[in-house]
Amino acid sequence: RKRILSGIQPTGTPTLGNYIGAVRNWALLQPDYDCLYMVADLHALTVRQVPADLRRRTRELAALLLAVGIDPENHVLFVQSHVPAHCELSWILACNTQFGELSRMTQFKDKSAKHPDNVNGGLFTYPVLMAADILIYNADLVPVGQDQTQHLEIARNIANRFNGVYGDTFILPEGYVPASGAKIMSLAEPTKKMSKSDTNVNSFILMTDDKDTIVRKFKRAVTDSDGVVRFDRENKPGVSNLMAIYGTFTGKTMEEIEAEFAGKGYGDFKMAVAEVTADALTPVQAEYNRILADKAYVDGVLKNGAERASRIANRTVSKVYRKVGLLQLD
Ligand code: TYM
């Protein structure tokens, strides 16, 4: 069976964007792949974190992934820092990645503009660690939202170059980016990505928002003044974003949604979007609270996950160390 690896940072409560763009698909892909899913705590350190918060959020995020339906019996759920081999491979890959190609990463440019006081080395080499996360498991497929596709591309380039220099070592991973929903937009500024770090709390839906909050936020969502539910990303970004969300949860095409709301106002449409979103998130939230209450269970899953992931990861590191000429004793 083909293998999947993906990750999410424990930097705050995941949004509807994280859910639709990534995590929901992680669960849906499980029947067809061998999956490894990871809480990317090392990546979170590229931005200053409050240590106690980071620790708490790491466990909470693991519980949330279990609540979404990640199955830790048949697949592997782990925390990045629990598998030290990621950092070991990351160094080797960093020595095979050029300053120029890392300088072109748009996320690095965005984040360094946003935090000019903390443009650290980790922020710059972030895509190298992400390449290590993927290549260390020889993942075939990487389900991500659109904002990670450039990072996936550099991972492929790094793998390809390494294979060229040292002989076939890594599989070139493919991205799995959902057709609609790869980029859920801010509800307040629908030309911007929905992001949990946005200062306007009305711009995002959190996976833990209750129904009243979900309804309130969708009611306030920015649309336009022509009052027609029609899919047109360019001219109607707000409405199109709501349609993408509605389409995800109902399985309806954009044409079907247009027909369903023909002659109806945005008020009805927004309520319908809020309704299907709450219906999707409410059972996840109930599971989340149940699972999080059992800390020992969550920690047990993560311990087992780290052991299983390490077995694969350590083999790759030994192979790579040998290929690049590091002396190994037996
Ligand atoms: P992170 O934590 O920023 O986001 C997790 C996943 O959610 C997707 N996403 C979105 N999708 C659609 N619409 C949005 N508004 C939206 N916001 C976020 C992201 O694309 C991502 O798939 N670097 C990664 C974590 C990572 C990783 C990896 C991913 C570390 N190592 C290896 C894949 C493979 C990140 O920061 O994701």
Side-chain angles (χ1 to χ4, degrees):
R1 288 223 298 182
K2 292 203 166 188
R3 191 177 279 164
I4 281 183
L5 176 288
S6 198
I8 178 169
Q9 294 193 57
T11 44
T13 307
T15 66
L16 189 59
N18 296 124
Y19 184 59
I20 294 178
V23 172
R24 179 173 178 271
N25 301 315
W26 294 11
L28 295 174
L29 289 162
Q30 291 180 117
D32 301 318
Y33 294 87
D34 285 329
C35 304
L36 295 123
Y37 294 129
M38 172 187 87
V39 177
D41 57 345
L42 295 170
H43 276 109
L45 294 177
T46 55
V47 174
R48 194 80 67 223
Q49 302 291 335
V50 176
D53 289 352
L54 179 60
R55 244 188 306 276
R56 177 177 49 78
R57 287 199 184 119
T58 298
R59 189 182 282 117
E60 286 175 355
L61 186 52
L64 190 63
L65 294 173
L66 291 167
V68 164
I70 302 308
D71 165 9
E73 301 288 325
N74 294 304
H75 302 278
V76 181
L77 177 63
F78 68 101
V79 174
Q80 190 181 30
S81 68
H82 296 173
V83 183
H86 289 229
C87 287
E88 297 171 335
L89 180 61
S90 182
W91 174 255
I92 308 295
L93 298 182
C95 297
N96 287 277
T97 307
Q98 298 306 303
F99 179 83
E101 57 186 333
L102 289 173
S103 309
R104 285 193 290 276
M105 293 290 112
T106 54
Q107 193 169 91
F108 171 69
K109 290 191 250 182
D110 291 349
K111 287 200 178 169
S112 39
K114 217 165 130 192
H115 305 278
D117 54 325
N118 190 18
V119 184
N120 60 76
L123 195 64
F124 188 65
T125 56
Y126 179 121
V128 178
L129 179 58
M130 182 160 157
D133 298 337
I134 298 166
L135 302 179
I136 207 164
Y137 300 106
N138 269 312
D140 300 284
L141 200 69
V142 184
V144 285
Q146 202 178 69
D147 63 333
Q148 296 298 323
T149 51
Q150 196 185 28
H151 290 157
L152 198 65
E153 205 45 49
I154 200 174
R156 286 171 60 91
N157 292 340
I158 293 170
N160 195 31
R161 188 172 327 119
F162 191 98
N163 288 348
V165 176
Y166 298 104
D168 246 2
T169 310
F170 298 120
I171 288 179
L172 301 197
E174 302 281 346
Y176 176 93
V177 183
S180 77
K183 193 171 184 188
I184 298 299
M185 311 308 277
S186 154
L187 299 183
E189 280 176 81
T191 50
K192 268 178 36 185
K193 175 183 85 157
M194 181 183 285
S195 165
K196 57 197 161 205
S197 59
D198 203 309
T199 48
N200 178 358
V201 295
N202 289 315
S203 72
F204 51 71
I205 305 277
L206 296 179
M207 283 186 65
T208 51
D209 279 346
D210 61 19
K211 184 161 182 182
D212 289 349
T213 308
I214 292 172
V215 169
R216 180 167 45 77
K217 287 179 176 177
F218 275 120
K219 271 190 180 159
R220 289 197 190 169
V222 168
T223 48
D224 52 57
S225 55
D226 61 46
V228 182
V229 176
R230 184 166 53 79
F231 193 76
D232 178 350
R233 284 263 185 215
E234 187 104 341
N235 299 305
K236 293 168 71 68
V239 169
S240 301
N241 186 44
L242 298 181
M243 289 178 75
I245 295 169
Y246 190 69
T248 298
F249 293 131
T250 58
K252 291 180 181 163
T253 65
M254 296 304 120
E255 295 74 40
E256 286 168 338
I257 299 169
E258 286 171 3
E260 183 178 353
F261 294 96
K264 295 189 185 144
Y266 288 160
D268 286 354
F269 175 51
K270 285 178 169 180
M271 270 312 291
V273 179
E275 200 70 51
V276 295
T277 302
D279 284 351
L281 294 183
T282 307
V284 173
Q285 293 166 359
E287 266 299 275
Y288 171 62
N289 290 322
R290 188 183 68 77
I291 293 168
L292 191 59
D294 194 348
K295 185 177 141 214
Y297 169 72
V298 177
D299 290 9
V301 164
L302 294 177
K303 203 162 177 192
N304 178 264
E307 281 166 13
R308 286 155 68 200
S310 291
R311 271 199 291 277
I312 309 172
N314 289 340
R315 271 202 303 274
T316 306
V317 168
S318 303
K319 186 166 150 189
V320 167
Y321 274 15
R322 182 167 48 73
K323 290 204 177 200
V324 300
L326 300 179
L327 174 65
Q328 288 172 302
L329 307 172
D330 38 39

